[in-house]
Amino acid sequence: MTEPQPTSYREAYARLNRIAAELESGEADLDRVLPLLEEARAAYAQCRGRIEAVRAVLAGDWGDEADPDEPEDPDDDDEE
């Protein structure tokens, strides 16, 4: 039976580390390798998705409708 899907980056990363250690030890039963690789792929995808989301935010892609290359107009106030 496989473990539940990790819910956070930290959990997914820890799962990747546990899987890598098990595979590197050479003690993993051959019948367990494929399920381990499938779990690793899912955890990796989750980590990568979180990293890409952070990169997008750091790059300024906050999902705003305004054009990031267009300077803000300081005289454009909503206060009247």
Side-chain angles (χ1 to χ4, degrees):
M1 183 175 211
T2 62
E3 288 189 19
Q5 182 74 10
T7 57
S8 71
Y9 176 85
R10 185 173 292 202
E11 290 170 345
Y13 186 78
R15 182 68 189 137
L16 282 173
N17 282 327
R18 284 192 301 271
I19 291 168
E22 186 173 342
L23 291 172
E24 288 173 350
S25 74
E27 299 297 319
D29 181 61
L30 185 58
D31 292 329
R32 177 128 168 82
V33 171
L34 185 58
L36 281 174
L37 292 175
E38 290 171 354
E39 288 179 48
R41 184 170 57 163
Y44 174 79
Q46 186 173 13
C47 287
R48 184 177 172 104
R50 303 269 173 133
I51 290 169
E52 291 302 320
V54 170
R55 282 185 180 157
V57 169
L58 292 176
D61 184 13
W62 293 80
D64 294 338
E65 292 180 21
D67 183 4
D69 295 331
E70 184 178 314
E72 291 185 25
D73 185 0
D75 294 330
D76 186 21
D77 291 332
D78 289 335
E79 298 175 23
E80 291 189 26

